């Protein structure tokens, strides 16, 4: 969080404080994807961007399954042994006024092998207002997102259902 804040030209504690200081939200999820005889007919998890701040994923290094969208194409991420995959989430996209972008991704199943992954979600405290950092908002770069709490955002995306990365993009005001 310090490195991301400094890179944005903000005080090093800015993002951490915006998340609630030491009182943040966090969740660890274990994902089990059984082998599937017809993987082309199903997804392990549909296309989305993570609604929170950052996700630290420990993938199964033997069975790839995570795909990211780049230039309208799906690219399979090849896990490196003993390495985490770190995804920027929607809340950092909002706080950075879209300087940092959350990553659209999905999970594929495998026809021959089951897979397990661990995802640690690092999120802002649920009742704090999240909005573009005032230092990043100027007449030339107006705020792209309205302020809302993480709880409000999660309710917003749940009411609309899975829609890729369009959830956070639908909040963006036109420049």
């Amino acid at each position: 969080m310090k490195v991301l804040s400094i890179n944005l030209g903000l005080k090093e504690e800015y993002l951490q404080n915006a998340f609630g200081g030491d009182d943040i939200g966090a969740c660890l999820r274990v994902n089990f994807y059984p082998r599937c005889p017809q993987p082309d007919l199903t997804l392990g998890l549909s296309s989305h961007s993570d609604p929170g701040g950052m996700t630290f994923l420990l993938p199964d290094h033997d069975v790839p399954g995570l795909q990211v969208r780049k230039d309208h194409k799906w690219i399979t991420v090849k896990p490196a042994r003993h390495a985490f995959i770190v995804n920027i989430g929607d809340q950092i996209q909002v706080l950075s006024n879209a300087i940092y972008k959350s990553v659209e991704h999905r999970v594929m199943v495998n026809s021959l092998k089951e897979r397990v992954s661990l995802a640690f979600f690092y999120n802002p405290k649920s009742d704090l207002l999240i909005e573009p950092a005032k230092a990043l908002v100027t007449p030339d770069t107006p705020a792209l997102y309205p302020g809302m709490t993480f709880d409000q955002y999660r309710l917003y995306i749940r009411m609309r259902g899975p829609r890729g990365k369009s959830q956070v993009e639908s909040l963006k005001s036109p420049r």
Side-chain angles (χ1 to χ4, degrees):
M1 296 293 273
K2 287 180 181 181
V3 170
L4 295 176
S5 293
I6 291 167
N7 190 51
L8 290 168
L10 304 170
K11 291 183 180 176
E12 72 177 33
E13 68 279 354
Y14 183 84
L15 288 175
Q16 188 64 49
N17 287 342
F19 268 45
D22 292 332
D23 189 16
I24 54 99
C27 174
L28 177 67
R29 185 172 67 208
V30 178
N31 301 301
F32 173 72
Y33 302 99
R35 66 180 193 84
C36 178
Q38 295 179 295
D40 52 320
L41 298 180
T42 189
L43 288 171
L45 195 57
S46 63
S47 170
H48 67 286
S49 58
D50 293 333
M54 281 194 288
T55 303
F56 299 86
L57 180 71
L58 182 61
D60 186 319
H61 65 270
D62 290 326
V63 186
L66 178 67
Q67 293 185 326
V68 295
R69 188 186 299 268
K70 182 173 175 10
D71 300 327
H72 307 289
K73 295 178 188 157
W74 288 106
I75 299 168
T76 300
V77 177
K78 294 181 177 125
R81 189 177 288 280
H82 307 298
F84 287 96
I85 296 168
V86 180
N87 285 342
I88 296 288
D90 294 344
Q91 300 305 298
I92 288 183
Q93 180 170 325
V94 169
L95 283 162
S96 74
N97 207 29
I99 293 170
Y100 292 125
K101 306 274 194 296
S102 58
V103 63
E104 184 177 4
H105 57 284
R106 68 183 184 183
V107 179
M108 306 304 292
V109 293
N110 187 285
S111 63
L112 302 174
K113 294 182 178 180
E114 60 189 32
R115 189 176 64 196
V116 174
S117 67
L118 299 170
F120 178 77
F121 300 97
Y122 191 81
N123 300 324
K125 191 173 176 226
S126 63
D127 60 351
L128 291 179
L129 186 68
I130 302 293
E131 61 187 345
K134 301 220 183 305
L136 302 177
V137 175
T138 68
D140 292 332
T141 56
L144 295 176
Y145 306 95
M148 69 174 55
T149 68
F150 186 44
D151 276 348
Q152 290 169 326
Y153 183 68
R154 285 187 291 195
L155 180 60
Y156 173 78
I157 63 174
R158 285 185 183 131
M159 297 297 287
R160 298 179 54 159
R163 294 182 180 201
K165 191 171 156 70
S166 70
Q167 305 288 30
V168 71
E169 296 300 325
S170 70
L171 293 172
K172 195 184 278 188
S173 52
R175 281 195 189 193

